[in-house]
Amino acid sequence: LGIGIVFMQGGSTGGTDIIAMIINKYRDIMPGRAIMVCDALVVASSYFIFNSVEKMVYGFVTMFTLTYCIDIVLVGRKQSVQMMIFSKHYAEIADAITSQLDRGVTILEGQGWYSKQEVKVILSIVKKTQVQAVHHIVKQIDPQAFISQEAVMSVYGEGFDAIR
């Protein structure tokens, strides 16, 4: 948690995290994963010093726990969800998402293959904390709607992270 907070503020602990932050600056790789790769080399080489598999395994467990926690702290607040909503009441749902949640909405044209009917699909990317609000809006307007949602790793643009 502490190292994640240091990273959020743009700091460094002076170890392999410097390499990880450089990698993260130019590639879309989470800092925890980059630290894990660097530290895996260090932990694996510890076998030659201690000649102990137990200490090496302990090092790997500690390293995986640390990197997982760093990613949760850094990415947890930024997690976003892409939602696709299929409904005949698409205009009402889109208006509600835009006005109540201040999120953008795109209407896609589609065709149901089985029914051969034209379909309007709402596409919206929302913060993970707003997913339940979207479900509530959709349920109020059209309980028969179909919702597909998927976690997205990175979202850049207005209301999210700046484009790199």
Side-chain angles (χ1 to χ4, degrees), residues 19-138:
I19 298 167
M21 297 313 274
I22 291 170
I23 293 170
N24 180 254
K25 182 175 180 178
Y26 297 105
R27 301 266 187 226
D28 199 18
I29 298 172
M30 292 189 287
R33 294 240 169 97
I35 290 172
M36 183 174 62
V37 170
C38 295
D39 286 352
L41 296 172
V42 173
V43 171
S45 65
S46 72
Y47 178 77
F48 299 113
I49 296 170
F50 298 113
N51 291 326
S52 170
V53 174
E54 293 84 16
K55 289 181 181 179
M56 191 173 74
V57 170
Y58 177 75
F60 277 119
V61 169
T62 303
M63 179 192 62
F64 287 127
T65 305
L66 172 76
T67 57
Y68 178 77
C69 291
I70 290 170
D71 284 343
I72 292 296
V73 170
L74 293 178
V75 181
R77 63 185 173 84
K78 295 182 183 181
Q79 287 183 337
S80 299
V81 176
Q82 176 178 299
M83 301 187 79
M84 297 181 79
I85 304 164
F86 302 78
S87 173
K88 293 179 182 173
H89 304 282
Y90 65 92
E92 294 172 60
I93 295 170
D95 286 339
I97 291 171
T98 303
S99 64
Q100 294 177 28
L101 301 178
D102 195 31
R103 285 289 159 207
V105 172
T106 301
I107 304 297
L108 305 174
E109 301 281 337
Q111 178 183 11
W113 190 250
Y114 179 75
S115 67
K116 305 296 188 221
Q117 299 280 327
E118 294 296 317
V119 181
K120 302 284 187 178
V121 180
I122 300 168
L123 173 66
S124 185
I125 298 177
V126 300
K127 300 278 186 177
K128 189 173 184 178
T129 57
Q130 296 175 314
V131 170
Q132 290 303 326
V134 172
H135 282 261
H136 182 71
I137 289 168
V138 173

